[in-house]
Amino acid sequence: CGGSISDSSGVLQSPNYPGSYPNDADCVWEIQVENNFRVTLTFRDIEMQSGTCQQDYIEVYDGPLHSSPLLGRFCSGSFPTYVSSSNMMSVRFHSDSRYSFRGFQAHYSSIPAGHNTTIQCLPDYMHVVVSRDYLQSQGYSAHGVTLDDSRCRPTVTSQEVVFNIPYNGCGTTQEENDDTINYSNTIRVASSGYVIKRKKNINLHVSCRMLRKSWQQVMYAAEDTVDVNEYQFGRYDMNITFYDSPAFLRQVRSSPYFIDLNQNLYLQACLRNSDPNLKVAVDTCVASPDPHDFNTLAYYLVRNRCPRDPSYATYYSPSSHFARFKFNAFEFMSRHPSVYLKCQMLVCRLGDYSSRCYRGCSTRAKRDASSAEEKVDVVVGPLQLRGGGAPSGST
């Protein structure tokens, strides 16, 4: 149960609804809608163990689970409606080991956030657009819109004031928490008047909250670059590329990428971001013959930074924005000639030796990792065995 949701509208419901939900469930849904829209969530049915809401309950958060304000926690009563302040909302359902009931059903949709100011979290900078109509309606001039760093000037058009604010300059500040690394700046709108003024200045606080974890999914990819949609809650732009040797000098450009069984495969994950104080590491890579199912028949090359396959190895990287690794090609036995690979990459602060990028193998299970962390799923490829045959291999 749970997972990442990007559709503009849909339905959430407890497991087995309208049947009884299971005991000891802990489900987290992360709803992330289009840039500059908000999430509205309305509950239509609730039947759970009532009382103090300590055993079975629903929680709604205004963003990612671990670092956002709690909008509400409940287990019975009226059917509430919640609206997020950004383009992301998280919903958690928890049950204990005792009683079981019908559970809940809720409907969510996206609504425009208003277009006086819009933000896009691009790989290298925040793209912020302020409407001149809005400024004029409030009695302000477009030429009074500035950042604290006067060297970073906006582009002023007939309709808009446009800022491209780098993550590593123009006074942008950085702050990190469990879910995100936050980049923030302030656009100041000054009241006109040389001697006196009767209007207050306006401070527009803009922020891109980049989700720390991302999934990259490849089918032994060759040259394809991963295109990731960026939001107010943005995702780090990451791609995975194959190379023909451990020197990592020549990319594999052919697609499909034809390989032999047990051939060494060299991969490089690359983070595209202007912030030099970031480090990339491989957390988990899992293989499957089905690009839509990494549970039924799955084989882990590395999990929680712990190698599971004897051929998996990492390489030194000349940049903290790169993570290099290799493994030997294989195929799944019996009627599965193709192998898909999905990798979860970690993004940490450079030099933060308490982070998982530096700690290495972790044998302790991650709490709620599959549902509470943001995932980016992308399929590229394919890879095929040389000669088109499908001899049986092993995993």
Side-chain angles (χ1 to χ4, degrees):
C1 62
S4 297
I5 301 170
S6 58
D7 296 333
S8 60
S9 63
V11 175
L12 301 184
Q13 55 192 31
S14 51
N16 303 328
Y17 180 89
S20 298
Y21 52 76
N23 292 329
D24 299 315
D26 201 56
C27 314
V28 177
W29 293 268
E30 285 188 340
I31 307 168
Q32 187 170 333
V33 297
E34 189 176 347
N35 180 43
N36 296 302
F37 278 69
R38 296 179 181 179
V39 183
T40 178
L41 178 73
T42 301
F43 286 84
R44 295 174 169 174
D45 184 24
I46 303 171
E47 186 186 76
M48 301 170 61
Q49 183 178 356
S50 59
T52 60
C53 298
Q54 296 298 313
Q55 292 77 32
D56 298 356
Y57 54 84
I58 302 165
E59 293 177 330
V60 180
Y61 290 86
D62 192 13
L65 178 70
H66 297 295
S67 56
S68 302
L70 177 66
L71 297 177
R73 175 173 177 161
F74 54 94
C75 56
S76 61
S78 60
F79 300 158
T81 295
Y82 297 97
V83 179
S84 66
S85 60
S86 70
N87 63 322
M88 191 171 187
M89 176 185 286
S90 295
V91 181
R92 181 187 184 193
F93 167 73
H94 177 83
S95 66
D96 68 359
S97 59
R98 298 185 67 187
Y99 306 109
S100 186
F101 297 85
R102 186 170 66 244
F104 78 92
Q105 185 182 74
H107 178 268
Y108 76 89
S109 61
S110 59
I111 57 174
H115 298 291
N116 294 330
T117 304
T118 61
I119 306 171
Q120 286 183 288
C121 302
L122 300 175
D124 295 317
Y125 55 87
M126 290 183 275
H127 180 73
V128 183
V129 178
V130 183
S131 165
R132 288 193 69 170
D133 287 343
Y134 164 69
L135 294 173
Q136 292 169 3
S137 70
Q138 302 299 311
Y140 294 93
S141 167
H143 299 284
V145 182
T146 63
L147 294 176
D148 283 340
D149 188 336
S150 60
R151 295 170 297 177
C152 300
R153 299 180 180 275
T155 299
V156 180
T157 71
S158 60
Q159 295 181 322
E160 301 169 333
V161 180
V162 181
F163 285 92
N164 291 324
I165 308 173
Y167 297 129
N168 197 49
C170 291
T172 300
T173 60
Q174 303 169 16
E175 180 185 11
E176 61 180 310
N177 55 43
D178 290 340
D179 290 310
T180 61
I181 297 177
N182 302 336
Y183 301 91
S184 301
N185 211 314
T186 301
I187 297 173
R188 304 190 185 278
V189 185
S191 173
S192 59
Y194 296 101
V195 179
I196 66 170
K197 67 177 183 179
R198 299 185 186 276
K199 299 172 67 65
K200 294 181 179 179
N201 295 337
I202 298 177
N203 292 336
L204 300 175
H205 300 282
V206 294
S207 177
C208 280
R209 301 177 180 182
M210 307 300 285
L211 293 147
R212 293 169 67 97
K213 289 193 177 180
S214 64
W215 282 97
Q216 301 298 321
Q217 184 171 319
V218 299
M219 185 184 173
Y220 289 1
E223 58 182 343
D224 304 75
T225 299
V226 177
D227 291 321
V228 182
N229 291 327
E230 308 292 344
Y231 302 95
Q232 292 152 294
F233 273 98
R235 297 187 177 105
Y236 282 112
D237 187 359
M238 193 98 62
N239 66 55
I240 296 178
T241 308
F242 278 79
Y243 283 77
D244 64 357
S245 77
F248 292 92
L249 296 177
R250 293 185 299 273
Q251 296 183 16
V252 175
R253 300 276 182 188
S254 59
S255 183
Y257 180 17
F258 292 94
I259 53 89
D260 297 314
L261 286 178
N262 210 37
Q263 174 182 332
N264 287 327
L265 300 179
Y266 304 98
L267 301 91
Q268 176 176 274
C270 175
L271 171 67
R272 181 170 174 256
N273 191 274
S274 61
D275 185 353
N277 298 309
L278 297 176
K279 178 177 174 61
V280 174
V282 182
D283 182 79
T284 299
C285 280
V286 57
S288 169
D290 184 345
H292 306 293
D293 181 1
F294 284 85
N295 296 306
T296 304
L297 182 58
Y299 177 69
Y300 283 88
L301 297 168
V302 56
R303 190 172 191 178
N304 300 338
R305 306 293 318 278
C306 301
R308 295 293 186 89
D309 182 273
S311 71
Y312 176 85
T314 58
Y315 289 88
Y316 166 79
S317 171
S319 167
S320 63
H321 282 202
F322 296 159
R324 294 174 170 179
F325 58 103
K326 59 85 68 173
F327 66 95
N328 290 4
F330 61 89
E331 67 164 346
F332 285 87
M333 297 175 62
S334 177
R335 303 189 309 278
H336 297 296
S338 299
V339 177
Y340 293 80
L341 183 69
K342 185 170 76 168
C343 292
Q344 185 184 55
M345 309 302 299
L346 294 172
V347 180
C348 309
R349 300 301 298 169
L350 187 65
D352 180 7
Y353 295 100
S354 65
S355 69
R356 296 191 56 217
C357 291
Y358 289 91
R359 289 206 305 263
C361 175
S362 173
T363 57
R364 181 174 59 87
K366 294 183 293 183
R367 179 179 178 267
D368 289 339
S370 62
S371 57
E373 304 293 348
E374 178 71 11
K375 296 175 283 292
V376 178
D377 296 321
V378 181
V379 179
V380 291
L383 177 143
Q384 298 175 3
L385 289 175
R386 204 181 306 276
S392 61
S394 64
T395 60

